[in-house]
Amino acid sequence: MLLAATSTQRLLFVGGKGGVGKTTIASALAYARAEAGERVLLVSTDPAHNLGHLWEQRFGDEPRTAARLAAGEVTAVEIDPAATVAQHLAAVSTTMRGVLPERMHGQAAAHLELARNAPGSHESAILERIADLAIEQGATYDTIVFDTAPTGHTLRLLSLPAQLGGWVDQLLQNRGRSERFAEALQGLVPGGGRSGAPAEHPLTATLTRRRERFAHLESALTDPERTAFVAVSVAEPVPVSETIELASELASSSIRLAATVINRRTTVVADHERAALESEQVARLAAALPAIPIAEVARLGGALSGVPMIARVAALLG
Ligand SMILES: Nc1ncnc2c1ncn2[C@@H]1O[C@H](COP(=O)(O)OP(=O)(O)O)[C@@H](O)[C@H]1O
Ligand SMILES: [Mg+2]
C-alpha cells in the first residue's frame, strides 16, 4: 500500500513525531525501491542522525553506498549543517576577496561571521542541501528519500523556501554596503579602481543562484507528481492528533500528504486489548483524513538494526 501510494514520486519526505519510526520507515522505503531496481539516495536531514545506527554503518556528509542489490542500490547521506554553512561561507568569502579591495577584507570577514551565527543559518544550510540534492542529483538517483527531523522542525524547514533565507538577503545587503564602500574607495584612491568587469557581478551571481535554487525547491515540493510526504505515527491518541494536524499544515504549505503509516502496530495475537485500543486510533485517523491511505506496520521484536532487518520492514510495507 505505502509503495503504491508513493510509486510515481521521486522525492519522498518521511516525517512525524520523534521516535515513531521515521528512520526505520524511510530506510525500508528506500530499500524497497532499490529492490525494485532503483538507484535510491537516502538522506537524513535530522541533526540528531540515527541512519548509521540503523544500517550498522558509518555515514556522513558525502554519499556512501548503504546496500547494493541485484538491480538497484541505496546510497546514504547524513547532512552536516555546520559543514554546509562553512563550505558556503568559504565560497562567498573567496568571491568577496576577489571583488573587494584588500582593506575591505576584514569588514567582509566580519559580515560573514555574523551570517555563520545568524539564527536559522543551519536550517538554511540543510534546506540548501535538500535543494542541491533534489535538483542537481536528480539525474544520478531515481528517487531521493528524506528521513526528516521531528514534525515541527521539518515543517519549519519546508516552509523556509517561501520565507526565503533571511540569510541570503542579509548577505546581499551586507554586500551592497561593502560595495558602496568599495566604490567610494575607488573614487578616492588614485589608481585604487579595479579595471575590467564591474566588481559586483560574481557575488551577486552566487547569491542569486542560491535564491533561484530555493525557488526551484519550492516548486518541486509543491508539485504532487514529484513530491510525496509520508507521515509516520503510532496508534496512540497524541501522535494521531499530531498527524492530523500535520496533514493540515502540509496542506497549507501546498505539500501533498501521500500516505500515513501506523507503525509498531500491536497484533491481536500479541495483545488483544491493546490492539483494540489501537484500532480506535486508526479509525480516528481514517475518519479525519478520509482521502489519505493508511499503511500499518506491525511491532517487531528483537533488535531493529542491520540490513536484513530493514529488508524485513520493507517487505511489510506492501
Ligand atoms: N515496526 C517496529 N517494531 C518495533 N520497533 C520499531 C518499529 N519501528 C521502529 N521501531 C523502533 O522504534 C525506535 C524509534 O525508531 P526510529 O525509526 O529511530 O524513529 P524516529 O526516526 O522517528 O525517531 C527504534 O528503537 C526502532 O528500532
Ligand atoms: Mg530518526
Side-chain angles (χ1 to χ4, degrees):
M1 196 300 297
L2 185 59
L3 297 178
T6 56
S7 65
T8 56
Q9 291 87 4
R10 295 181 64 189
L11 296 176
L12 308 182
F13 286 83
V14 179
K17 210 171 143 62
V20 291
K22 291 181 298 300
T23 300
T24 307
I25 298 299
S27 296
L29 253 178
Y31 190 91
R33 298 214 21 175
E35 270 185 319
E38 293 189 10
R39 294 159 305 166
V40 184
L41 182 66
L42 175 61
V43 181
S44 169
T45 69
D46 185 350
H49 300 295
N50 60 350
L51 214 51
H53 177 254
L54 174 61
W55 287 77
E56 295 178 349
Q57 296 173 44
R58 276 182 81 85
F59 299 133
D61 206 54
E62 294 294 317
R64 286 194 204 151
T65 303
R68 206 168 260 129
L69 304 174
E73 61 183 2
V74 179
T75 304
V77 166
E78 287 181 341
I79 292 177
D80 177 348
T84 306
V85 171
Q87 254 170 34
H88 167 61
L89 292 182
V92 174
S93 165
T94 304
T95 315
M96 270 194 173
R97 294 172 82 89
V99 299
L100 292 175
E102 191 157 351
R103 58 178 300 173
M104 301 284 308
H105 289 183
Q107 193 188 335
H111 282 313
L112 290 182
E113 225 26 65
L114 279 179
R116 187 193 303 276
N117 300 315
S121 74
H122 276 202
E123 285 167 327
S124 287
I126 293 175
L127 194 69
E128 190 174 342
R129 288 296 300 284
I130 293 177
D132 284 350
L133 293 166
I135 296 157
E136 290 153 28
Q137 307 215 1
T140 316
Y141 300 102
D142 297 308
T143 298
I144 307 183
V145 180
F146 292 97
D147 168 24
T148 72
T151 312
H153 185 263
T154 301
L155 281 176
R156 235 181 15 254
L157 202 62
L158 296 182
S159 65
L160 268 178
Q163 298 165 19
L164 218 267
W167 193 41
V168 173
D169 292 338
Q170 193 191 341
L171 278 175
L172 279 168
Q173 277 166 18
N174 288 344
R175 187 199 130 270
R177 240 177 279 142
S178 302
E179 197 174 272
R180 278 196 298 279
F181 202 166
E183 275 165 10
L185 280 173
Q186 281 172 16
L188 288 173
V189 183
R194 298 168 60 91
S195 58
E200 64 271 26
H201 286 166
L203 191 58
T204 306
T206 305
L207 297 176
T208 306
R209 259 202 312 280
R210 161 154 302 122
R211 200 190 264 278
E212 283 167 2
R213 274 186 299 174
F214 282 151
H216 272 290
L217 177 62
E218 192 181 8
S219 68
L221 286 176
T222 53
D223 180 350
E225 311 217 320
R226 288 161 79 185
T227 299
F229 197 100
V230 173
V232 183
S233 183
V234 289
E236 289 164 20
V238 174
V240 164
S241 296
E242 288 197 9
T243 305
I244 295 166
E245 208 172 294
L246 173 62
S248 77
E249 286 171 31
L250 284 171
S252 67
S253 300
S254 306
I255 297 172
R256 176 173 178 261
L257 177 60
T260 59
V261 176
I262 292 292
N263 189 29
R264 292 204 299 256
R265 182 81 156 95
T266 306
T267 60
V268 177
V269 178
D271 183 340
H272 176 76
E273 251 172 62
R274 177 148 185 188
L277 284 174
E278 288 184 1
S279 293
E280 285 174 19
Q281 294 305 319
V282 177
R284 189 160 76 88
L285 183 64
L289 305 174
I292 315 292
I294 302 174
E296 297 185 38
V297 174
R299 176 185 296 274
L300 302 172
L304 268 202
S305 66
V307 175
M309 174 54 76
I310 294 165
R312 199 176 143 203
V313 179
L316 296 177
L317 297 182

